[in-house]
Amino acid sequence: MTVYFIGAGPGAADLVTVRAQRIIAASPVCLYAGSLVPQELLAECPEGARVIDTARLSLDEIVALLIEADAAGQDVARLHSGDPSIFSAVAEQVRRLESAGVAYTVVPGVPAFTAAAASLGRELTVPGVSQSIVLTRVSTLSTAMPEGEDLRSLGRSGATMVVHLGAHRIDQIVLELTENYGRDCPAAVVAFASRPDEIVLRGTLATIADQVKAAGVTKTAVVIVGKVLAAEGFPDSYLYSAARERTTH
């Protein structure tokens, strides 16, 4: 039997892979990450499935349920918001399953930052402007940031900066990024990306904090900072250049 760690996407129930939908529909046990997973997606669970909200469970309680299902010969759809490779808390579950000899598979999903970029209608890697993206977060009461991964240090590259889980620390984000990006650098905040209650805010590092506070955005948001958000006059990508030599096969 297998535990499937499934990326449930940013919020819209139809922003999941065909593979994820198929596994959910066939798994007799489903563990999902609270309100971050849409109810419409849970409706894909088979009739009679055991569906458990893990929002109030400890890590040990969650892993115990996974091991219990495996011992009973049941596949498990373990749903996490976004994509399991980013801020998902999958690593510590996997570590325990490996120790217990339980098989698992990871099914990728649509991460929140790509859904946010889609809502903004912007590419985050623009030729001649930025070809790198930094995915990070700010230090809060949860997991501490490793040394050297503060926003000031990361911002020295000038790359497109994507800050997860930090809307409630927007003043800190602005303060630490302004040093390298400047007050006039474009900035955006997208809350509840892809959901009916989505909020999209656009401005600069000088204005975005006030917009976030006025909109009452405190969580489930992605902060994006970088020149790509307002890029104009940039060169076309070489990918489709007429000067590029092409083959017929």
Side-chain angles (χ1 to χ4, degrees), residues 10-62:
D14 59 349
L15 278 182
V16 295
T17 64
V18 174
R19 180 183 300 178
Q21 193 172 37
R22 174 178 56 79
I23 293 171
I24 294 169
S27 297
V29 179
C30 175
L31 274 64
Y32 69 99
S35 61
L36 298 176
V37 174
Q39 290 297 312
E40 296 91 335
L41 189 57
L42 296 176
E44 298 287 337
C45 294
E47 184 176 354
R50 186 181 182 191
V51 182
I52 304 167
D53 182 355
T54 62
R56 297 186 180 279
L57 300 182
S58 68
L59 174 60
D60 288 340
E61 290 171 328
I62 292 169

Side-chain angles (χ1 to χ4, degrees), residues 123 125-129 131 234-247:
E123 181 180 349
T125 54
V126 174
V129 180
Q131 292 288 283
F234 50 85
D236 293 336
S237 171
Y238 182 67
L239 178 64
Y240 299 116
S241 171
R244 180 185 175 194
E245 183 177 345
R246 288 175 168 78
T247 61

Side-chain angles (χ1 to χ4, degrees), residues 66-231:
L66 299 177
I67 294 175
E68 175 187 321
D70 178 75
Q74 297 175 314
D75 285 336
V76 181
R78 173 64 172 124
L79 306 184
H80 284 268
S81 62
D83 178 84
S85 68
I86 306 173
F87 306 124
S88 66
V90 164
E92 50 264 47
Q93 295 173 73
V94 163
R95 178 170 59 189
R96 285 165 170 76
L97 292 185
E98 289 178 341
S99 178
V102 175
Y104 67 90
T105 296
V106 178
V107 180
V110 178
F113 83 93
T114 61
S119 295
L120 292 167
R122 288 288 178 172
E123 181 180 349
L124 301 184
T125 54
V126 174
V129 180
S130 176
Q131 292 288 283
S132 301
I133 303 170
V134 176
L135 305 177
T136 189
R137 49 178 284 273
V138 291
S139 183
T140 62
L141 294 177
S142 56
T143 306
M145 296 297 290
E147 185 177 353
E149 291 192 14
D150 59 281
L151 293 182
R152 282 190 176 88
S153 297
L154 295 174
R156 290 177 188 140
S157 67
T160 303
M161 185 71 63
V162 178
V163 185
H164 291 75
L165 311 171
H168 63 297
R169 295 290 186 92
I170 190 64
D171 287 328
Q172 175 188 344
I173 293 171
V174 167
L175 177 65
E176 295 188 21
L177 291 182
T178 296
E179 180 177 322
N180 291 298
Y181 290 80
R183 288 172 51 81
D184 294 333
C185 184
V189 173
V190 181
F192 309 108
S194 81
R195 305 183 192 189
D197 54 349
E198 177 184 84
I199 299 172
V200 178
L201 305 174
R202 307 170 192 259
T204 65
L205 282 175
T207 65
I208 197 67
D210 286 342
Q211 292 184 56
V212 168
K213 294 170 187 175
V217 174
T218 59
K219 58 182 181 179
T220 320
V222 175
V223 181
I224 303 177
V225 177
K227 295 178 180 178
V228 294
L229 296 178

